[in-house]
Amino acid sequence: NAGVTQTPKFQVLKTGQSMTLQCAQDMNHNSMYWYRQDPGMGLRLIYYSASEGTTDKGEVPNGYNVSRLNKREFSLRLESAAPSQTSVYFCASSARSSGRSFVGTDTQYFGPGTRLTVL
Amino acid sequence: SQQGEEDPQALSIQEGENATMNCSYKTSINNLQWYRQNSGRGLVHLILIRSNEREKHSGRLRVTLDTSKKSSSLLITASRAADTASYFCATDAADDKIIFGKGTRLHILP
């Protein structure tokens, strides 16, 4: 059981380049999330997916797109990277079903993170 | 805007002492969670308390929830060097979002 995996671990981009961050979970979770973490800012939600085939914007979605490829995988794409997107990106998953909060389902399991630098 | 806000932002205590950190939030919730993050790592879930609970224990952790004041506290008793980390509260919001606060950085001094 690998839990939540993310690739790559590190990435350096030039302004304007594009890239996709990959995330996969093997816990059969319904919900998946992408966060960015900047110094002193905590975690901010970029996008989330409450079920396969659905995605919704979080607090800071501008400059990003996501794709819930299947129940296991949730990718985050930067179409034209900007220095303001330099951050550590975390993917997470939970068993929560859309609109329904049950005991134990809201716990989020996090990947190890991707450290992205945009020059 | 952040749903949860932790206080203090940073805390240094001697090993063996108790550490208390607080979280305040703005809107009604179904539950509140606490997570720990060691430097450079992903977050790890510590404990979840539901809105109809007032107190919950897990090992050396004690969490309280006061829904009338929209606040929660995390107490770590008999702190150890390994407790040095950042601690975040997270609250569920509308539309299935889980919103994290900015965290409290805890440093345990030897």
Side-chain angles (χ1 to χ4, degrees):
Chain A
N1 238 2
V4 180
T5 57
Q6 291 183 235
T7 55
K9 285 190 170 60
F10 301 93
Q11 184 71 49
V12 178
L13 294 177
K14 294 181 180 177
T15 296
Q17 287 185 316
S18 63
M19 79 161 294
T20 300
L21 281 65
Q22 306 286 355
C23 174
Q25 51 90 10
D26 61 3
M27 295 173 281
N28 200 35
H29 282 168
N30 296 313
S31 296
M32 297 185 74
Y33 310 82
W34 275 106
Y35 295 91
R36 60 177 290 174
Q37 185 176 33
D38 304 297
M41 294 296 293
L43 274 80
R44 291 185 291 171
L45 182 64
I46 304 172
Y47 270 94
Y48 66 104
S49 169
S51 62
E52 185 179 350
T54 67
T55 60
D56 286 285
K57 295 178 180 179
E59 300 172 81
V60 288
N62 291 344
Y64 305 94
N65 285 304
V66 290
S67 178
R68 183 77 182 266
L69 303 168
N70 46 55
K71 194 170 186 180
R72 287 188 66 247
E73 298 171 292
F74 189 38
S75 62
L76 178 72
R77 182 159 178 84
L78 287 69
E79 290 291 351
S80 180
S84 61
Q85 294 177 305
T86 293
S87 188
V88 181
Y89 291 84
F90 289 100
C91 177
S93 71
S94 77
R96 182 183 176 113
S97 293
S98 179
R100 303 163 76 185
S101 176
F102 296 112
V103 173
T105 64
D106 287 328
T107 298
Q108 295 204 340
Y109 297 84
F110 282 79
T114 295
R115 191 173 296 273
L116 175 66
T117 301
V118 183
L119 302 174
Chain B
S1 62
Q2 303 286 137
Q3 162 76 317
E5 293 287 341
E6 292 89 346
D7 169 60
Q9 290 185 354
L11 178 63
S12 292
I13 60 171
Q14 294 294 137
E15 192 168 10
E17 293 181 338
N18 296 340
T20 300
M21 52 206 89
N22 304 295
C23 171
S24 60
Y25 57 92
K26 298 174 183 174
T27 62
S28 60
I29 59 173
N30 291 314
N31 60 64
L32 184 145
Q33 304 178 62
W34 285 92
Y35 288 79
R36 183 187 72 227
Q37 183 182 34
N38 291 96
S39 181
R41 303 282 192 94
L43 277 72
V44 174
H45 180 258
L46 294 175
I47 197 164
L48 180 152
I49 186 166
R50 301 197 72 81
S51 60
N52 61 355
E53 297 176 309
R54 292 296 166 260
E55 187 170 313
K56 203 161 183 181
H57 296 255
S58 177
R60 293 184 296 114
L61 306 181
R62 173 177 162 246
V63 169
T64 62
L65 179 64
D66 186 336
T67 52
S68 66
K69 295 181 180 177
K70 291 188 171 57
S71 68
S72 173
S73 67
L74 171 66
L75 168 68
I76 303 174
T77 60
S79 62
R80 305 168 181 169
D83 295 328
T84 293
S86 291
Y87 292 82
F88 296 86
C89 68
T91 51
D92 65 326
D95 302 327
D96 298 317
K97 297 176 186 175
I98 305 292
I99 304 297
F100 286 80
K102 295 181 181 181
T104 292
R105 294 188 310 279
L106 176 63
H107 188 203
I108 307 300
L109 303 167

